[in-house]
């Protein structure tokens, strides 16, 4: 009986130990690059297509593009995770790029895979 208990404890320990190692191995990053050519302020959010409800930056905040320079956004994500951008003119959610405000639309070329790389410069034209 005691031998079985020790075996069970070792099994649980190994599952916890190797499970934690697997989770940290899944950590990745993705560098996004945006350039807004729109004369008004543009807001951006990034949405996980893999983890429903996961948004960057989150907490009811947005990334702000308020000049014509290239802005970079580096996020932590899970390797292999599909992430899509949504951008819209501030206070005008009907003027959008990608999946738009609150991930409401579909797109054909606004998603990238988390793989430690970077996107091309995504130019948001009026």
């Amino acid at each position: 009986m005691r031998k079985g208990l020790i075996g069970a404890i070792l099994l649980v320990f190994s599952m916890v130990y190797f499970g934690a190692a697997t989770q940290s191995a899944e950590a990745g990053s993705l560098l996004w690059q945006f350039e807004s050519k729109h004369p008004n302020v543009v807001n951006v959010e990034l949405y996980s297509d893999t983890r429903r409800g996961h948004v960057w930056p989150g907490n009811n905040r947005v990334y702000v593009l308020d000049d014509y320079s290239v802005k970079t956004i580096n996020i932590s994500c899970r390797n292999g995770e599909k992430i899509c951008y949504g951008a819209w003119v501030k206070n005008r959610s009907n003027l959008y790029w990608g999946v738009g405000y609150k991930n409401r639309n579909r797109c054909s070329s606004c998603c990238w895979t988390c793989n430690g790389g970077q996107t091309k410069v995504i130019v948001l034209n009026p």
Side-chain angles (χ1 to χ4, degrees):
M1 177 96 169
R2 185 166 173 88
K3 191 174 188 180
L5 179 62
I6 291 172
I9 291 170
L10 288 175
L11 177 63
V12 169
F13 174 76
S14 65
M15 287 170 50
V16 169
Y17 178 78
F18 291 112
T22 302
Q23 287 177 351
S24 65
E26 292 178 3
S29 64
L30 184 59
L31 180 71
W32 291 81
Q33 301 175 92
F34 291 97
E35 181 181 8
S36 175
K37 302 265 186 185
H38 200 281
N40 297 321
V41 172
V42 172
N43 293 332
V44 176
E45 284 186 317
L46 305 171
Y47 306 97
S48 174
D49 201 49
T50 308
R51 291 186 283 163
R52 287 284 171 218
H54 198 85
V55 180
W56 292 266
N59 296 322
N60 295 315
R61 294 178 295 146
V62 294
Y63 300 109
V64 177
L65 308 179
D66 57 1
D67 60 27
Y68 298 104
S69 68
V70 174
K71 303 284 186 186
T72 60
I73 302 167
N74 194 24
I75 63 167
S76 296
C77 45
R78 294 180 180 170
N79 282 329
E81 182 172 16
K82 182 179 172 184
I83 302 167
C84 307
Y85 74 86
W88 62 95
V89 173
K90 182 179 179 178
N91 299 322
R92 303 271 317 268
S93 61
N94 61 330
L95 297 175
Y96 67 89
W97 300 262
V99 296
Y101 178 71
K102 300 257 186 217
N103 197 20
R104 291 181 178 163
N105 305 286
R106 291 292 97 205
C107 62
S108 59
S109 60
C110 67
C111 302
W112 275 260
T113 301
C114 178
N115 62 4
Q118 65 184 39
T119 69
K120 63 180 179 141
V121 175
I122 301 162
V123 179
L124 307 175
N125 288 307

